[in-house]
Amino acid sequence: MARVRYTDSDVDLVARMMRAEAEGEGKLGMLMVGNVIVNRLKADCLDFQDLRSINDVIFQIQGGNYSFEAVQKGNVFYNRARTVEKRLAKQTLDYWRQHPSKFALWYFNPYGECPPTWYDQPLTGQYKQHCYYEPIAETCESVYSY
């Protein structure tokens, strides 16, 4: 059973986001970005309440801006998804989870050392240029369910 319900259009959206945010970090880096997207959909807590679809997650607006820089700035996100990214997106939507993104709801590229917290949430680790952060214990139990 898939981690979340999704359509072919959702696979395309996640694939485009994975490529736009982490193409330079290879397949594993793209999978980690995809995992954060799925985690946000599952979370229903903190900044991610009432997100009911992949589209809601990708186009969420916080503080007047899109949550994902790739959507806000355009860059590669508006290119067509390639087969390899679609396969990775489907893998993430179906089952894939791995540290440090396993329970992460946030990531960013600080172009330097990862700060110990991001929006007051603890660092879980770094993969290449991206730092990953998961919710403080007992604030978002739904992200820890499969």
Side-chain angles (χ1 to χ4, degrees):
M1 183 165 93
R3 291 181 60 209
V4 295
R5 292 171 50 182
Y6 63 89
T7 65
D8 289 343
S9 176
D10 294 331
V11 172
D12 184 71
L13 270 176
V14 172
R16 289 172 31 216
M17 181 60 69
M18 292 166 67
R19 178 181 178 197
E21 292 280 330
E23 181 178 30
E25 297 187 353
K27 291 177 182 178
L28 187 55
M30 288 190 285
L31 284 166
M32 289 190 188
V33 165
N35 190 62
V36 169
I37 293 166
V38 174
N39 287 348
R40 287 182 178 189
L41 182 56
K42 292 186 64 67
D44 201 24
C45 61
L46 304 170
D47 295 334
F48 311 106
Q49 293 179 16
D50 300 321
L51 298 175
R52 300 291 175 242
S53 68
I54 293 295
N55 195 69
D56 289 350
V57 174
I58 300 294
F59 295 104
Q60 182 185 21
I61 295 178
Q62 295 176 307
N65 293 310
Y66 289 109
S67 295
F68 292 104
E69 189 173 302
V71 177
Q72 184 175 328
K73 293 185 176 178
N75 67 18
V76 181
F77 177 68
Y78 293 101
N79 289 342
R80 193 176 338 190
R82 299 179 297 196
T83 303
V84 66
E85 289 100 14
K86 286 181 182 180
R87 188 171 44 248
L88 293 171
K90 188 161 177 16
Q91 187 176 341
T92 304
L93 290 159
D94 283 340
Y95 67 88
W96 192 90
R97 299 176 93 174
Q98 183 174 312
H99 179 79
S101 72
K102 187 172 186 175
F103 304 116
L105 291 175
W106 301 271
Y107 66 86
F108 84 111
N109 179 346
Y111 301 101
E113 300 234 359
C114 293
T117 61
W118 183 249
Y119 295 105
D120 298 323
Q121 308 302 318
L123 174 70
T124 57
Q126 181 174 356
Y127 181 75
K128 295 193 177 183
Q129 299 299 310
H130 281 95
C131 307
Y132 291 86
Y133 298 84
E134 68 181 55
I136 294 171
E138 299 180 20
T139 62
C140 192
E141 293 304 313
S142 54
V143 80
Y144 297 101
S145 65
Y146 189 77

